[in-house]
Amino acid sequence: MTMEFSVEPTPTPTSPERLAEILAAPGFGRVFSDHMLTATWTHPDGWHDAQVRPYGPLSLDPATHIFHYGQAIFEGFKAYRQPDGGIATFRPEANGARFNRSAARLSLPELPVDDFVAASDALIRQDAAWVPSAGEASLYLRPFMVATEVGLGVHPAQEVTFLVIASPAGSYFASGSSQVSIWVSEDYTRAAPGGTGAAKCGGNYAASLVAQQEGIDNGCEQVLFLDAVERRWIEELGGMNLWAVRDDGTLITPELTGSILEGVTRDAMVLIAKELGHEVEERRIDIDDVRKGVDSGQISEVFACGTAAVIASVGTLKWRGGEVTLPADTPVASALRTALVDLQHGRRPDPYGWMHRVC
Ligand code: COI
């Protein structure tokens, strides 16, 4: 089925003056555009009632499944203003495909990738004025799917709601583009073999927060998780994938094991790094090798990547009883970042066919 959308424009659109103010300093995830998309799935009828409507609160019964059993998944991708004034999104099909892998793992219904993309396009077209044109800012799209069946029986919900909301986005980190600090979590793990680590589900993020708070308490902005079995192999950060750069220019990132999120930016990095002449190794990475490598200089850069974070260079790696500091000069992360961002903003050709023109 191809989803059909009805459109109900908001009677109270944000004024151009207020919108200009918001777009001048959007931060991350604080302000939402005038509209949202909602669609309902019920068993056995499937998807129906897709509508673009005014952004606003949902009214939900307190016994709605999502409040109790956490059956929920989400995605994140961005829309970018192009040099000709049009709008394009970055790899929305890849996010749509991952959304379906997450849905399968959480016993949620499939949403055809074409519908996922068309739904986001419909919202972007409605709120086109919310796509910033200055600097590296963009409009962050947050599609999500939640169990909206009412009742306390534990079973896959027979009623589900799909929503897309949008928020203008600048830098994810409050510190802007300076280097971020990372806390190595030794007590908590994020995902175990056979678990939901590769799915983009709210529960993974909920499980990361106690470690994230430990990181904050220790002066760090992100937390690094190790594998749940040996507590030795690097997995990922609370909200992004991790890379190390060896002094010979080789890029290394943890291989996808089923417990790591299959980052769309991570995947783009593999190809862009090769385009820029780097060798890329996807393999297990021992945290001790990273600590020693940074100390000896054999690892010259560490950086995080994700849709929200883009490419964020890491300045410090800290753990209970120790820390190592990375050089402030980050030529590799900077070049990768420029290559990615220029492609997304239409300032260089897109040899990969990643950009999806919306309007
Ligand atoms: C994104 O980068 O889009 C994410 O989903 C991570 C976010 C939770 C910070």
Side-chain angles (χ1 to χ4, degrees):
M1 164 205 85
T2 306
M3 237 181 220
E4 308 228 324
F5 310 99
S6 65
V7 178
E8 182 199 335
T10 178
T12 54
T14 304
S15 72
E17 296 73 28
R18 174 73 190 123
L19 186 54
E21 236 172 65
I22 294 166
L23 298 189
F28 182 82
R30 291 187 319 213
V31 185
F32 296 88
S33 69
D34 283 333
H35 297 86
M36 62 184 184
L37 181 131
T38 59
T40 306
W41 177 92
T42 44
H43 180 76
D45 301 325
W47 291 106
H48 49 87
D49 289 339
Q51 39 179 320
V52 175
R53 55 167 159 134
Y55 184 93
L58 306 171
S59 171
L60 293 173
D61 189 291
T64 302
H65 273 215
I66 175 60
F67 295 139
H68 304 274
Y69 307 127
Q71 197 188 0
I73 57 169
F74 72 95
E75 269 303 326
F77 65 96
K78 287 175 170 171
Y80 305 86
R81 186 71 63 183
Q82 300 298 292
D84 65 0
I87 298 169
T89 48
F90 181 68
R91 307 189 71 184
E93 300 89 356
N95 291 87
R98 187 174 65 184
F99 198 54
N100 277 311
R101 293 196 294 276
S102 301
R105 180 64 183 82
L106 273 285
S107 277
L108 285 162
E110 184 191 356
L111 176 71
V113 171
D114 285 352
D115 288 337
F116 176 94
V117 174
S120 307
D121 286 358
L123 179 63
I124 295 165
R125 281 195 203 100
Q126 188 67 27
D127 283 338
W130 286 77
V131 180
S133 25
E136 287 190 7
S138 57
L139 185 68
Y140 183 81
L141 280 304
R142 171 54 64 89
F144 58 111
M145 194 193 288
V146 296
T148 40
E149 180 179 333
V150 174
L152 298 184
V154 182
H155 55 248
Q158 304 298 292
E159 179 178 334
V160 164
T161 304
F162 169 63
L163 300 98
V164 188
I165 55 175
S167 175
S171 177
Y172 180 75
F173 292 105
S175 59
S177 59
S178 65
Q179 290 176 299
V180 300
S181 44
I182 288 184
W183 175 252
V184 182
S185 173
E186 288 165 307
D187 296 334
Y188 303 105
T189 58
R190 174 188 169 277
T196 57
K200 204 159 176 64
C201 61
N204 288 344
Y205 294 80
S208 79
L209 296 178
V210 64
Q212 173 74 25
Q213 186 58 48
E214 194 178 79
I216 293 168
D217 294 342
N218 283 279
C220 294
E221 289 156 295
Q222 273 284 304
V223 62
L224 169 62
F225 289 102
L226 305 176
D227 77 287
V229 178
E230 295 182 65
R231 307 278 180 115
R232 171 177 174 195
W233 309 104
I234 287 184
E235 296 236 300
E236 64 182 275
L237 306 185
M240 44 213 79
N241 295 112
L242 197 71
W243 290 82
V245 184
R246 223 165 41 211
D247 56 1
D248 65 358
T250 302
L251 268 85
I252 313 164
T253 197
E255 64 189 347
L256 300 174
T257 56
S259 58
I260 296 176
L261 189 80
E262 298 168 7
V264 176
T265 311
R266 174 196 178 281
D267 183 70
M269 274 306 99
V270 172
L271 293 172
I272 290 181
K274 288 178 183 164
E275 181 192 332
L276 299 191
H278 297 277
E279 297 281 323
V280 175
E281 293 176 9
E282 295 178 70
R283 61 167 169 81
R284 297 206 295 184
I285 306 174
D286 189 327
I287 182 65
D288 276 333
D289 290 344
V290 174
R291 291 193 259 235
K292 286 183 201 137
V294 173
D295 236 1
S296 71
Q298 207 188 14
I299 291 178
S300 52
E301 294 179 45
V302 173
F303 65 89
C305 77
T307 296
V310 193
I311 309 283
S313 147
V314 172
T316 318
L317 211 55
K318 221 171 163 184
W319 59 94
R320 200 179 295 123
E323 70 176 84
V324 285
T325 305
L326 283 126
D329 190 28
T330 60
V332 175
S334 301
L336 289 165
R337 185 186 169 90
T338 302
L340 174 67
V341 168
D342 281 354
L343 188 153
Q344 292 168 329
H345 287 265
R347 293 191 292 257
R348 77 170 181 109
D350 169 20
Y352 310 102
W354 282 337
M355 298 310 288
H356 166 79
R357 189 77 185 200
V358 179
C359 54

